Amino acid sequence: MKKLLILFCTLSIFTTCKKDTVDGDKLFGRWELISTTEGLSGKTTTYASGQGNILTLTDNAYTETRSNIVIREGKYSTIRKESMLTKQKEDFLIYENSGGNTFFTIADGKLSLNLDAFDSGGYSYKRVK
């Protein structure tokens, strides 16, 4: 009986703890830029499909192209932490050798990237096959 109680308590601990890690698999793939929003002015610029503005994310590497030209590439990681901007736990995309913190959301086949800073802008992408 004592062993059963210990097993039950152990299982309860693991099933009630909230996960502070990100399921990075949902990021994998090719994402086409559909719009950018400037932070200070709030001005939104939209982009036509097929212009070569692509963000490709694999299991730990990324490539970003504009007009079919690679503008940056490298490694990335993900983490779940509190946002300075929203004061809530957010999923963050951390680009290697970059000082900025970018949090992301994925809904309805769209990826939103927002810098975790006041008066900062954001990017919206759609998943491409």
Side-chain angles (χ1 to χ4, degrees):
M1 184 70 172
K2 187 176 180 181
K3 289 181 182 180
L4 185 59
L5 182 60
I6 291 171
L7 177 63
F8 177 75
C9 289
T10 303
L11 289 174
S12 295
I13 290 170
F14 287 114
T15 58
T16 58
C17 293
K18 187 170 180 180
K19 190 175 172 185
D20 274 351
T21 58
V22 179
D23 179 13
D25 290 350
K26 62 186 175 180
L27 280 172
F28 296 172
R30 288 174 40 94
W31 299 91
E32 183 173 34
L33 184 66
I34 55 176
S35 67
T36 59
T37 303
E38 294 178 17
L40 292 173
S41 68
K43 178 184 173 192
T44 298
T45 302
T46 57
Y47 298 89
S49 187
Q51 300 299 307
N53 301 320
I54 303 290
L55 175 63
T56 303
L57 298 162
T58 63
D59 59 348
N60 69 348
Y62 73 94
T63 303
E64 189 173 1
T65 62
R66 293 291 182 268
S67 301
N68 295 311
I69 298 170
V70 174
I71 62 168
R72 67 179 178 159
E73 59 187 340
K75 302 225 181 269
Y76 76 91
S77 61
T78 57
I79 189 170
R80 184 160 182 81
K81 66 178 184 174
E82 185 176 310
S83 164
M84 176 188 74
L85 191 61
T86 68
K87 302 295 185 208
Q88 296 182 28
K89 291 237 177 184
E90 302 284 358
D91 295 330
F92 278 80
L93 181 63
I94 311 296
Y95 295 107
E96 178 183 64
N97 301 322
S98 174
N101 284 311
T102 304
F103 63 91
F104 69 91
T105 57
I106 298 174
D108 300 324
K110 293 186 179 167
L111 169 66
S112 296
L113 299 176
N114 296 288
L115 295 172
D116 193 33
F118 296 105
D119 296 327
S120 64
Y123 302 86
S124 293
Y125 294 86
K126 68 178 178 180
R127 189 180 290 279
V128 292
K129 305 212 180 300

